[in-house]
Amino acid sequence: MPSSASPQTAVLNVSTRPFSVSARVEVTPGGMLAIAALVTGILLSTALIVQVAKR
C-alpha cells in the first residue's frame, strides 16, 4: 500500500576532537506507528516489572 505522505527525515552531526559522527534516518508514517507501538510496549512492560518488584 503506497503512502502519499513523504517520509520524515532526521540528521545528527556530532564533532569532537578525537572523532566525528554523522547519522541520517528516514521514517515513513507507518514506520512511526511501528516505533510508537514498540516504545509503548517497552514502557508498559517496564511499569509492570517495577510494580511486581515493589510487592
Side-chain angles (χ1 to χ4, degrees), residues 7-39:
Q8 299 291 316
T9 303
V11 178
L12 173 69
N13 294 313
V14 177
S15 297
T16 61
R17 285 190 176 229
F19 66 94
S20 66
V21 176
S22 179
R24 182 173 187 270
V25 65
E26 291 186 15
V27 182
T28 63
M32 293 288 276
L33 286 174
I35 292 168
L38 288 170
V39 170

